[in-house]
Amino acid sequence: MSSRFGDTDDAVLTLLDNMIWPILGLVILGVLVFVPQTLRNVRSVQLLLWAAVPLGLLVLAESLCLLSGHFDLSIGSIAGFSAMFTGMLLGTCPSCWNVVSSPWIGFGIILGAGALIGLANGVMIARVGLNPFLQTLAFLIIFEGAKTAMQTQPVTGLPALYLDIGGTPNFAIGVLLVAFLAFGLLMRFSRFGQAVYALGSSEKSAREVGIDTSRLIIVIYTISGVLSAIAGLMLTGFVGVVPPLIGEGLVFQAFAGAVIGGISLFGGRGKITGALGGVILIQLVQSALNNSTAVGATEIQMINGFVLLVAILLYSTQSKIRSRILASGSV
């Protein structure tokens, strides 16, 4: 009898760990019934996935930080600042600096900018001892302000190759899928992935088994910064220019995508594949809202807030059920 209960609890825990997929299935059915034009053909699905690429890379960056027991509020501003700074160097608009013409140098600059900001985040948190919330909030404000100080108009005249990376739908979608596949394998099978989970479960225990937690935190934030910069590059290619509001507000959607995908807010638990499901769900809801005639453009931000609230409620319910099952001792 106890074995049967144990099997049932195992099944419930597995369902909880993969809750995103049945939810995504239900949302797809709802969209097909109420806003069918969102998924009317292959081209529509391709556009949806293409639009999800920048958000997906930010969700990946946030998921990595969350799994380690930390978080990063500055990912959207890193994406925006890196894209704007590089755009000003490459662009030929009247107010652009136009000091670099090679798109390859542009790739290096945008990735380097993201890496340096992420590195600074990691050093301030791991070595100086600043609270991750305060540190990344400060960088969010600083780099949002720096972006606006550089330019308040769209940056145009960027090299074609620089735009092609994010502007070619199949290539951009491929980058997103390869990134999730690579990090999924890395987190599951590598020592780095196991160290991140160990750090997220207990920093003290991780340190006691020989993990250099300070260095690991710095590496995690540096990777987060690079992924954020790639998101900025993809967003630039998707739009075709660097808009002045690039990257703003994306951090909240990234949090929602990671949490809906099953990444624990307290670290140490969650799957990268689940986070990918969260990305698709968030973008599907966004596209359905944009296509719906019942929802005005001014109401979309409010509904996005409700989506984040639902994500938090789902996470809370999931955690309570998991704790109750584990406390029963049947698994």
Side-chain angles (χ1 to χ4, degrees):
M1 181 71 76
S2 60
S3 174
R4 191 166 69 244
F5 282 133
D7 291 343
T8 302
D9 289 340
D10 281 338
V12 173
L13 288 175
T14 301
L15 179 62
L16 290 175
D17 288 340
N18 298 280
M19 195 169 59
I20 179 61
W21 301 111
I23 292 175
L24 181 58
L26 289 174
V27 172
I28 290 174
L29 285 176
V31 169
L32 288 173
V33 171
F34 296 105
V35 200
Q37 63 271 31
T38 305
L39 300 170
R40 63 180 178 274
N41 52 38
V42 175
R43 177 61 177 165
S44 300
V45 176
Q46 184 192 45
L47 282 174
L48 187 150
L49 294 175
W50 184 23
V53 171
L55 175 63
L57 292 164
L58 292 179
V59 168
L60 192 55
E62 197 64 65
S63 297
L64 187 60
C65 292
L66 287 173
L67 286 172
S68 73
H70 297 74
F71 52 85
D72 191 344
L73 294 176
S74 63
I75 51 174
S77 63
I78 294 175
F81 174 83
S82 302
M84 181 62 79
F85 178 70
T86 310
M88 291 294 289
L89 293 172
L90 284 172
T92 57
C93 62
S95 55
C96 293
W97 302 331
N98 192 20
V99 296
V100 178
S101 59
S102 169
W104 295 103
I105 296 178
F107 296 141
I109 291 172
I110 193 169
L111 295 180
L116 283 176
I117 298 172
L119 176 67
N121 262 333
V123 169
M124 296 297 281
I125 292 168
R127 301 292 189 197
V128 181
L130 294 186
N131 180 285
F133 175 85
L134 298 176
Q135 166 59 34
T136 57
L137 177 63
F139 267 21
L140 182 156
I141 297 170
I142 289 170
F143 288 105
E144 288 288 356
K147 182 186 67 180
T148 306
M150 278 190 289
Q151 180 65 286
T152 56
Q153 299 296 320
V155 173
T156 58
L158 299 168
L161 180 60
Y162 184 78
L163 295 175
D164 284 346
I165 298 297
T168 308
N170 289 338
F171 184 83
I173 295 168
V175 168
L176 178 67
L177 296 179
V178 168
F180 268 90
L181 176 63
F183 274 91
L185 295 173
L186 187 71
M187 297 303 292
R188 185 172 177 79
F189 297 110
S190 73
R191 293 180 62 185
F192 170 79
Q194 298 307 309
V196 171
Y197 278 106
L199 175 63
S201 298
S202 170
E203 184 169 351
K204 180 182 176 184
S205 299
R207 200 178 298 117
E208 287 176 350
V209 297
I211 297 172
D212 187 340
T213 55
S214 293
R215 187 173 63 181
L216 183 58
I217 292 170
I218 293 172
V219 170
I220 289 168
Y221 275 97
T222 303
I223 294 174
S224 175
V226 171
L227 288 171
S228 301
I230 298 174
L233 175 65
M234 292 298 176
L235 200 50
T236 301
F238 181 74
V239 180
V241 299
V242 184
L245 297 180
I246 184 170
E248 291 189 11
L250 287 178
V251 62
F252 303 112
Q253 292 187 32
F255 261 106
V259 173
I260 291 174
I263 304 295
S264 171
L265 283 171
F266 302 104
R269 197 176 68 247
K271 297 178 180 176
I272 294 298
T273 49
L276 178 60
V279 173
I280 297 172
L281 180 63
I282 292 289
Q283 189 59 49
L284 180 60
V285 171
Q286 188 72 41
S287 298
L289 291 174
N290 290 334
N291 286 319
S292 173
T293 55
V295 179
T298 56
E299 299 165 338
I300 290 178
Q301 183 65 22
M302 178 182 67
I303 294 176
N304 281 335
F306 278 112
V307 171
L308 180 58
L309 179 61
V310 169
I312 295 170
L313 289 173
L314 281 174
Y315 172 78
S316 177
T317 304
Q318 181 195 36
S319 296
K320 288 178 181 175
I321 296 173
R322 169 182 286 279
S323 298
R324 194 179 307 138
I325 292 174
L326 294 178
S328 70
S330 58
V331 293

PDB file of all heavy atoms in Angstrom, residues 19 23 35 42 45 47 61 80 99 127 129 138 148 160 162 169 173 232 262 269 293 318:
ATOM      1  N   MET A  19       5.473  20.946 -15.022  1.00  0.00           N
ATOM      2  CA  MET A  19       4.141  21.539 -15.078  1.00  0.00           C
ATOM      3  C   MET A  19       3.952  22.475 -16.267  1.00  0.00           C
ATOM      4  O   MET A  19       2.836  22.695 -16.741  1.00  0.00           O
ATOM      5  CB  MET A  19       3.880  22.294 -13.767  1.00  0.00           C
ATOM      6  CG  MET A  19       2.447  22.663 -13.515  1.00  0.00           C
ATOM      7  SD  MET A  19       2.217  23.245 -11.810  1.00  0.00           S
ATOM      8  CE  MET A  19       3.324  24.647 -11.745  1.00  0.00           C
ATOM      9  N   ILE A  23       0.501  23.104 -19.077  1.00  0.00           N
ATOM     10  CA  ILE A  23      -0.019  24.481 -19.081  1.00  0.00           C
ATOM     11  C   ILE A  23       0.115  25.079 -20.475  1.00  0.00           C
ATOM     12  O   ILE A  23      -0.817  25.720 -20.998  1.00  0.00           O
ATOM     13  CB  ILE A  23       0.751  25.351 -18.052  1.00  0.00           C
ATOM     14  CG1 ILE A  23       0.430  24.880 -16.632  1.00  0.00           C
ATOM     15  CG2 ILE A  23       0.398  26.822 -18.222  1.00  0.00           C
ATOM     16  CD1 ILE A  23       1.231  25.608 -15.569  1.00  0.00           C
ATOM     17  N   VAL A  35      -8.101  33.271 -30.297  1.00  0.00           N
ATOM     18  CA  VAL A  35      -7.308  34.166 -31.166  1.00  0.00           C
ATOM     19  C   VAL A  35      -6.587  33.309 -32.201  1.00  0.00           C
ATOM     20  O   VAL A  35      -5.349  33.267 -32.249  1.00  0.00           O
ATOM     21  CB  VAL A  35      -6.278  34.979 -30.336  1.00  0.00           C
ATOM     22  CG1 VAL A  35      -5.831  36.218 -31.127  1.00  0.00           C
ATOM     23  CG2 VAL A  35      -6.815  35.401 -28.989  1.00  0.00           C
ATOM     24  N   VAL A  42       2.363  28.329 -40.735  1.00  0.00           N
ATOM     25  CA  VAL A  42       3.771  28.122 -40.349  1.00  0.00           C
ATOM     26  C   VAL A  42       4.495  29.454 -40.197  1.00  0.00           C
ATOM     27  O   VAL A  42       5.317  29.634 -39.287  1.00  0.00           O
ATOM     28  CB  VAL A  42       4.484  27.240 -41.411  1.00  0.00           C
ATOM     29  CG1 VAL A  42       5.973  27.121 -41.101  1.00  0.00           C
ATOM     30  CG2 VAL A  42       3.845  25.854 -41.447  1.00  0.00           C
ATOM     31  N   VAL A  45       3.846  30.943 -36.802  1.00  0.00           N
ATOM     32  CA  VAL A  45       4.618  30.264 -35.755  1.00  0.00           C
ATOM     33  C   VAL A  45       6.080  30.703 -35.818  1.00  0.00           C
ATOM     34  O   VAL A  45       6.721  30.949 -34.788  1.00  0.00           O
ATOM     35  CB  VAL A  45       4.506  28.735 -35.909  1.00  0.00           C
ATOM     36  CG1 VAL A  45       5.394  28.021 -34.894  1.00  0.00           C
ATOM     37  CG2 VAL A  45       3.056  28.293 -35.735  1.00  0.00           C
ATOM     38  N   LEU A  47       7.229  33.582 -36.924  1.00  0.00           N
ATOM     39  CA  LEU A  47       7.324  34.951 -36.406  1.00  0.00           C
ATOM     40  C   LEU A  47       7.267  34.966 -34.882  1.00  0.00           C
ATOM     41  O   LEU A  47       7.981  35.734 -34.228  1.00  0.00           O
ATOM     42  CB  LEU A  47       6.181  35.804 -36.982  1.00  0.00           C
ATOM     43  CG  LEU A  47       6.369  36.294 -38.418  1.00  0.00           C
ATOM     44  CD1 LEU A  47       5.107  36.995 -38.913  1.00  0.00           C
ATOM     45  CD2 LEU A  47       7.569  37.242 -38.516  1.00  0.00           C
ATOM     46  N   ALA A  61      19.636  33.674 -19.178  1.00  0.00           N
ATOM     47  CA  ALA A  61      20.550  34.376 -18.268  1.00  0.00           C
ATOM     48  C   ALA A  61      19.977  34.412 -16.853  1.00  0.00           C
ATOM     49  O   ALA A  61      20.685  34.135 -15.869  1.00  0.00           O
ATOM     50  CB  ALA A  61      20.798  35.791 -18.781  1.00  0.00           C
ATOM     51  N   GLY A  80      20.145  46.451 -23.409  1.00  0.00           N
ATOM     52  CA  GLY A  80      19.892  47.758 -24.028  1.00  0.00           C
ATOM     53  C   GLY A  80      21.139  48.604 -24.149  1.00  0.00           C
ATOM     54  O   GLY A  80      21.429  49.176 -25.208  1.00  0.00           O
ATOM     55  N   VAL A  99      32.643  55.473 -35.504  1.00  0.00           N
ATOM     56  CA  VAL A  99      34.100  55.316 -35.443  1.00  0.00           C
ATOM     57  C   VAL A  99      34.542  53.902 -35.839  1.00  0.00           C
ATOM     58  O   VAL A  99      35.741  53.645 -35.960  1.00  0.00           O
ATOM     59  CB  VAL A  99      34.636  55.644 -34.037  1.00  0.00           C
ATOM     60  CG1 VAL A  99      34.395  57.100 -33.696  1.00  0.00           C
ATOM     61  CG2 VAL A  99      33.992  54.738 -32.983  1.00  0.00           C
ATOM     62  N   ARG A 127      32.980  39.342  -4.273  1.00  0.00           N
ATOM     63  CA  ARG A 127      34.192  39.810  -3.579  1.00  0.00           C
ATOM     64  C   ARG A 127      33.894  40.950  -2.601  1.00  0.00           C
ATOM     65  O   ARG A 127      34.402  40.957  -1.480  1.00  0.00           O
ATOM     66  CB  ARG A 127      35.218  40.303  -4.610  1.00  0.00           C
ATOM     67  CG  ARG A 127      35.654  39.253  -5.618  1.00  0.00           C
ATOM     68  CD  ARG A 127      36.465  38.144  -4.992  1.00  0.00           C
ATOM     69  NE  ARG A 127      37.033  37.271  -6.023  1.00  0.00           N
ATOM     70  CZ  ARG A 127      37.507  36.064  -5.780  1.00  0.00           C
ATOM     71  NH1 ARG A 127      37.487  35.579  -4.545  1.00  0.00           N
ATOM     72  NH2 ARG A 127      37.997  35.321  -6.757  1.00  0.00           N
ATOM     73  N   GLY A 129      30.830  41.762  -1.537  1.00  0.00           N
ATOM     74  CA  GLY A 129      29.796  41.327  -0.596  1.00  0.00           C
ATOM     75  C   GLY A 129      28.491  42.087  -0.678  1.00  0.00           C
ATOM     76  O   GLY A 129      27.704  42.057   0.274  1.00  0.00           O
ATOM     77  N   ALA A 138      21.075  48.698  -8.885  1.00  0.00           N
ATOM     78  CA  ALA A 138      21.897  49.882  -9.158  1.00  0.00           C
ATOM     79  C   ALA A 138      22.364  49.878 -10.618  1.00  0.00           C
ATOM     80  O   ALA A 138      22.300  50.908 -11.311  1.00  0.00           O
ATOM     81  CB  ALA A 138      23.105  49.901  -8.219  1.00  0.00           C
ATOM     82  N   THR A 148      20.092  56.259 -22.217  1.00  0.00           N
ATOM     83  CA  THR A 148      19.335  57.463 -22.580  1.00  0.00           C
ATOM     84  C   THR A 148      20.266  58.657 -22.770  1.00  0.00           C
ATOM     85  O   THR A 148      20.021  59.513 -23.639  1.00  0.00           O
ATOM     86  CB  THR A 148      18.301  57.775 -21.484  1.00  0.00           C
ATOM     87  OG1 THR A 148      17.488  56.623 -21.262  1.00  0.00           O
ATOM     88  CG2 THR A 148      17.409  58.939 -21.887  1.00  0.00           C
ATOM     89  N   ALA A 160      24.995  45.702 -42.641  1.00  0.00           N
ATOM     90  CA  ALA A 160      24.007  44.656 -42.946  1.00  0.00           C
ATOM     91  C   ALA A 160      24.306  43.358 -42.216  1.00  0.00           C
ATOM     92  O   ALA A 160      23.402  42.714 -41.672  1.00  0.00           O
ATOM     93  CB  ALA A 160      23.976  44.425 -44.456  1.00  0.00           C
ATOM     94  N   TYR A 162      25.832  42.932 -39.422  1.00  0.00           N
ATOM     95  CA  TYR A 162      25.548  43.101 -37.997  1.00  0.00           C
ATOM     96  C   TYR A 162      24.055  42.879 -37.722  1.00  0.00           C
ATOM     97  O   TYR A 162      23.673  42.291 -36.704  1.00  0.00           O
ATOM     98  CB  TYR A 162      25.967  44.504 -37.563  1.00  0.00           C
ATOM     99  CG  TYR A 162      25.828  44.782 -36.084  1.00  0.00           C
ATOM    100  CD1 TYR A 162      26.767  44.304 -35.171  1.00  0.00           C
ATOM    101  CD2 TYR A 162      24.743  45.524 -35.597  1.00  0.00           C
ATOM    102  CE1 TYR A 162      26.636  44.566 -33.821  1.00  0.00           C
ATOM    103  CE2 TYR A 162      24.609  45.783 -34.240  1.00  0.00           C
ATOM    104  CZ  TYR A 162      25.561  45.307 -33.352  1.00  0.00           C
ATOM    105  OH  TYR A 162      25.420  45.559 -32.007  1.00  0.00           O
ATOM    106  N   PRO A 169      15.255  35.124 -39.578  1.00  0.00           N
ATOM    107  CA  PRO A 169      14.414  34.369 -38.629  1.00  0.00           C
ATOM    108  C   PRO A 169      14.953  32.992 -38.273  1.00  0.00           C
ATOM    109  O   PRO A 169      15.116  32.670 -37.082  1.00  0.00           O
ATOM    110  CB  PRO A 169      13.065  34.278 -39.357  1.00  0.00           C
ATOM    111  CG  PRO A 169      13.054  35.446 -40.267  1.00  0.00           C
ATOM    112  CD  PRO A 169      14.468  35.661 -40.694  1.00  0.00           C
ATOM    113  N   ILE A 173      16.339  31.867 -34.574  1.00  0.00           N
ATOM    114  CA  ILE A 173      15.676  30.792 -33.827  1.00  0.00           C
ATOM    115  C   ILE A 173      16.671  29.664 -33.536  1.00  0.00           C
ATOM    116  O   ILE A 173      16.683  29.084 -32.449  1.00  0.00           O
ATOM    117  CB  ILE A 173      14.458  30.258 -34.611  1.00  0.00           C
ATOM    118  CG1 ILE A 173      13.391  31.343 -34.732  1.00  0.00           C
ATOM    119  CG2 ILE A 173      13.867  29.026 -33.941  1.00  0.00           C
ATOM    120  CD1 ILE A 173      12.280  31.025 -35.723  1.00  0.00           C
ATOM    121  N   GLY A 232      20.567  41.672 -26.779  1.00  0.00           N
ATOM    122  CA  GLY A 232      20.546  43.017 -27.369  1.00  0.00           C
ATOM    123  C   GLY A 232      20.875  42.992 -28.845  1.00  0.00           C
ATOM    124  O   GLY A 232      20.263  43.711 -29.657  1.00  0.00           O
ATOM    125  N   GLY A 262       9.506  26.665 -14.129  1.00  0.00           N
ATOM    126  CA  GLY A 262       9.843  25.767 -13.029  1.00  0.00           C
ATOM    127  C   GLY A 262      11.175  26.039 -12.363  1.00  0.00           C
ATOM    128  O   GLY A 262      11.625  25.239 -11.533  1.00  0.00           O
ATOM    129  N   ARG A 269      16.997  24.269  -7.931  1.00  0.00           N
ATOM    130  CA  ARG A 269      16.017  23.369  -8.527  1.00  0.00           C
ATOM    131  C   ARG A 269      15.402  23.993  -9.779  1.00  0.00           C
ATOM    132  O   ARG A 269      15.082  25.183  -9.803  1.00  0.00           O
ATOM    133  CB  ARG A 269      14.917  23.036  -7.530  1.00  0.00           C
ATOM    134  CG  ARG A 269      14.098  21.814  -7.932  1.00  0.00           C
ATOM    135  CD  ARG A 269      13.069  21.417  -6.901  1.00  0.00           C
ATOM    136  NE  ARG A 269      12.014  22.394  -6.790  1.00  0.00           N
ATOM    137  CZ  ARG A 269      11.793  23.147  -5.731  1.00  0.00           C
ATOM    138  NH1 ARG A 269      12.581  23.040  -4.682  1.00  0.00           N
ATOM    139  NH2 ARG A 269      10.817  24.000  -5.696  1.00  0.00           N
ATOM    140  N   THR A 293      -8.580  41.576 -30.707  1.00  0.00           N
ATOM    141  CA  THR A 293      -9.304  42.848 -30.877  1.00  0.00           C
ATOM    142  C   THR A 293      -9.992  43.257 -29.574  1.00  0.00           C
ATOM    143  O   THR A 293     -10.473  44.389 -29.457  1.00  0.00           O
ATOM    144  CB  THR A 293     -10.374  42.700 -31.978  1.00  0.00           C
ATOM    145  OG1 THR A 293     -11.232  41.583 -31.647  1.00  0.00           O
ATOM    146  CG2 THR A 293      -9.735  42.460 -33.329  1.00  0.00           C
ATOM    147  N   GLN A 318       3.002  25.181  -6.252  1.00  0.00           N
ATOM    148  CA  GLN A 318       3.884  24.052  -6.555  1.00  0.00           C
ATOM    149  C   GLN A 318       4.804  23.753  -5.370  1.00  0.00           C
ATOM    150  O   GLN A 318       4.988  22.595  -4.986  1.00  0.00           O
ATOM    151  CB  GLN A 318       4.709  24.372  -7.797  1.00  0.00           C
ATOM    152  CG  GLN A 318       5.657  23.264  -8.223  1.00  0.00           C
ATOM    153  CD  GLN A 318       6.691  23.768  -9.221  1.00  0.00           C
ATOM    154  OE1 GLN A 318       7.142  24.898  -9.117  1.00  0.00           O
ATOM    155  NE2 GLN A 318       7.034  22.943 -10.181  1.00  0.00           N
TER     156      GLN A 318
END
